[in-house]
Amino acid sequence: MEPYPKTSSSEEDIFTDHYLILKTLGQGSFAEVKLALHRHTAVPVAVKFLEKDEDNAFEVMSEVGIVKALDHPNIIKLFHVIKTRKQSYLVMEHADGGDLADYLEKVGRLQAEEARPIFTQMACAVEYCHENGIVHRDIKVENIPLDDKEHFKQCDFGLAVKVTAGQKFKGSNRPA
């Protein structure tokens, strides 16, 4: 690993000058998430790669704005956004304990006393989002990773929208 980022002439190398990509963590309909290592600090991070084009420009900007506005212990933290002409890279906290789906597969059915703290953590994250006018719209076990302190966190705000009280939607991410 290099102690300092190398100088690069290519705009697309802006990301790789600072981060070493280790592996793919997940692939969704709209983005890919990779595990990377910050070259200077050796801190592992999750990086969401968002392709930018005319069709998804609103959604990319909306997700970046929403994630930047969130600061809660049960929501994955956004550290940095790198934008190029072709892509946006969302550099986020890496929760290395897998997701809730993996956890449930490993431990099996949970008793109420085991499920209660997980549910409480997610309810607190959802309440925080709603208090800040954000609706996630994609809460599922695959979007609830576990960190090294055994805290479950909400992630993937790709379908999230900013709303005001009483606002209605018409089948897209854009408010009516």
Side-chain angles (χ1 to χ4, degrees):
M1 178 169 54
E2 301 167 353
Y4 297 100
K6 65 182 184 333
T7 306
S8 170
S9 59
S10 167
E11 182 187 56
E12 296 305 318
D13 288 340
I14 292 170
F15 173 77
T16 56
D17 284 350
H18 298 281
Y19 296 94
L20 174 66
I21 299 169
L22 301 176
K23 67 178 182 177
T24 299
L25 294 173
Q27 176 79 39
S29 301
F30 306 106
E32 187 172 31
V33 178
K34 294 187 180 270
L35 175 63
L37 200 62
H38 186 261
R39 290 183 186 273
H40 182 66
T41 64
V43 171
V45 293
V47 182
K48 187 171 189 176
F49 288 69
L50 296 166
E51 292 288 332
K52 290 194 292 190
D53 58 38
E54 292 176 18
D55 294 335
N56 73 351
F58 174 82
E59 286 80 8
V60 169
M61 294 312 298
S62 178
E63 180 175 4
V64 169
I66 286 170
V67 176
K68 275 184 175 180
L70 299 173
D71 184 20
H72 188 275
N74 296 114
I75 296 175
I76 289 291
K77 301 218 178 321
L78 175 68
F79 295 141
H80 187 61
V81 177
I82 299 172
K83 295 179 184 179
T84 66
R85 281 178 281 165
K86 296 180 182 178
Q87 261 184 318
S88 288
Y89 305 92
L90 278 63
V91 181
M92 301 174 287
E93 168 186 13
H94 172 57
D96 61 357
D99 59 33
L100 185 53
D102 298 332
Y103 181 79
L104 292 172
E105 189 174 303
K106 183 172 59 175
V107 301
R109 182 180 170 153
L110 300 177
Q111 298 300 314
E113 54 277 353
E114 297 169 306
R116 190 173 294 113
I118 297 168
F119 182 80
T120 300
Q121 291 171 50
M122 289 303 89
C124 288
V126 169
E127 179 182 41
Y128 173 82
C129 289
H130 290 184
E131 286 172 351
N132 287 280
I134 295 167
V135 179
H136 188 282
R137 300 190 331 149
D138 195 23
I139 296 173
K140 57 187 178 186
V141 291
E142 294 83 6
N143 287 342
I144 303 174
L146 176 65
D147 73 9
D148 60 348
K149 296 178 180 86
E150 297 191 3
H151 295 124
F152 285 94
K153 299 183 175 236
Q154 195 173 13
C155 72
D156 192 355
F157 286 79
L159 296 178
V161 290
K162 186 98 169 119
V163 297
T164 57
Q167 188 174 23
K168 296 182 182 181
F169 289 88
K170 289 188 176 182
S172 75
N173 276 357
R174 297 181 184 172

